[in-house]
Amino acid sequence: MSRIDAHHHVWDLSARPHAWLERRAMEPVRRTFTLDDLAGPAAAAGVSRTVLVQVVADPAETREFLALAAGSPLVAGVVGWTDLTAPDAADALAELTALPGGLVGVRHGVQSEPDPAWLNRPDVRRGLAAVAAAGLAYDLLTLPHQLPAAIDTVTALPELTFVLDHLSKPPIAAGELEPWRGRIRQLAERPNVFCKLSGLVTEADWTGWRVDDLRPYAEVVLEAFGPERVMFGSDWPVCLLAAEYGQVSRAADELCAGLSEAERAEVFAGTARRAYRLEG
């Protein structure tokens, strides 16, 4: 089965600074990562297409990612960034969607916003409506305490496809399920929301995690969303803090071992293709 990796990054530290990489814990990934670096591990895991996701809040990065995608058969689409709060957000999105490479979604680092209700702001909602009008998806990068605002937002914008990144980063290392589990179930009640099975290893104990540590969280989203709304993502190269690409892929296989062949096909390709309207 040919697979789609619905969530990975690249970054070039010579092009722009990445302040988040300056933390001591980030030292193992504080270098430039390219598509060429990804190609080998992805192919070994059976991945033939990917979704390249924004890293910094800079539209220049999105244009660069689109150019990379236009020149690479590996990248099926780009989730980029634009200022949702800007009055001209719709015009900015129109410019980006006109570029070759395939803009399929937009993301903002909501996890870094100090206001837990940032998604509920009128200017943000206006920007999200523009994302929907452009025919794009919106990636939700939230923490568990921001899920109530996410639930409100996906309810208010049923015409917009939302994709939850990294299960909203549950406290796997602490082994806690609530209140995260209850909020995830509420979010999953909205049919316009998908969820990425991604980012688990970096929420677990980086040096001592086991698949069984991840399993309760994967089971929650697979039950709540169903395989037809869950998609595999590696979160490479961030995942390298805790696991190699192949380890992440094999962990996902183990977590989905109880699914039928058709359901696994959804998690590892079909869901991403539908949510992001990928061609081919």
Side-chain angles (χ1 to χ4, degrees):
M1 177 179 67
S2 180
R3 297 187 172 194
I4 296 174
D5 178 350
H7 194 104
H8 77 87
H9 310 283
V10 296
W11 53 76
D12 182 353
L13 298 188
S14 69
R16 64 181 52 82
H18 286 64
W20 67 283
L21 287 174
E22 295 306 311
R23 305 199 311 272
R24 179 177 297 181
M26 299 296 108
E27 186 173 357
V29 294
R30 196 184 302 141
R31 66 174 179 85
T32 293
F33 288 91
T34 69
L35 288 178
D36 287 341
D37 295 325
L38 173 64
V47 169
S48 61
R49 306 177 77 203
T50 70
V51 176
L52 175 57
V53 180
Q54 68 89 220
V55 183
V56 296
D58 186 343
E61 179 194 68
T62 300
R63 290 190 288 270
E64 291 164 13
F65 281 6
L66 288 167
L68 284 175
S72 170
L74 180 61
V75 180
V78 171
V79 174
W81 183 88
T82 196
D83 183 359
L84 293 175
T85 68
D88 63 345
D91 293 337
L93 288 170
E95 292 177 10
L96 291 171
T97 54
L99 296 173
L103 187 73
V104 297
V106 173
R107 186 175 84 152
H108 177 75
V110 178
Q111 65 176 4
S112 299
E113 293 290 344
D115 179 4
W118 185 85
L119 285 164
N120 291 337
R121 286 172 36 173
D123 55 350
V124 174
R125 292 282 182 86
R126 184 186 64 235
L128 290 172
V131 174
L136 303 170
Y138 181 75
D139 270 35
L140 283 164
L141 180 58
T142 55
L143 298 175
H145 75 279
Q146 297 167 321
L147 282 171
I151 293 165
D152 290 343
T153 300
V154 304
T155 303
L157 292 162
E159 70 278 14
L160 178 56
T161 294
F162 291 86
V163 181
L164 181 67
D165 290 352
H166 314 327
L167 286 67
S168 198
K169 298 193 169 185
I172 298 174
E176 298 173 358
L177 282 169
E178 298 296 352
W180 169 83
R181 176 169 53 189
R183 292 169 178 171
I184 286 291
R185 287 172 173 169
Q186 283 185 271
L187 188 71
E189 290 174 1
R190 281 64 180 179
N192 56 321
V193 188
F194 294 77
C195 182
K196 289 183 183 177
L197 192 64
S198 63
L200 296 180
V201 295
T202 45
E203 297 306 315
D205 180 339
W206 290 2
T207 59
W209 68 271
R210 301 170 303 152
V211 172
D212 283 346
D213 300 327
L214 317 179
R215 194 179 307 280
Y217 303 89
E219 288 178 346
V220 167
V221 299
L222 285 168
E223 178 185 356
F225 288 94
E228 70 281 359
R229 287 195 287 146
V230 174
M231 66 188 85
F232 164 71
S234 68
D235 197 26
W236 181 93
V238 180
C239 69
L240 298 177
L241 294 166
E244 297 294 329
Y245 192 101
Q247 290 177 287
V248 173
S249 177
R250 289 190 294 274
D253 278 330
E254 287 191 50
L255 294 171
C256 295
L259 302 180
S260 69
E261 183 177 349
E263 289 170 334
R264 288 195 298 274
E266 290 294 281
V267 173
F268 290 102
T271 300
R273 191 176 292 117
R274 287 194 313 279
Y276 287 123
R277 305 179 187 179
L278 303 179
E279 296 181 359

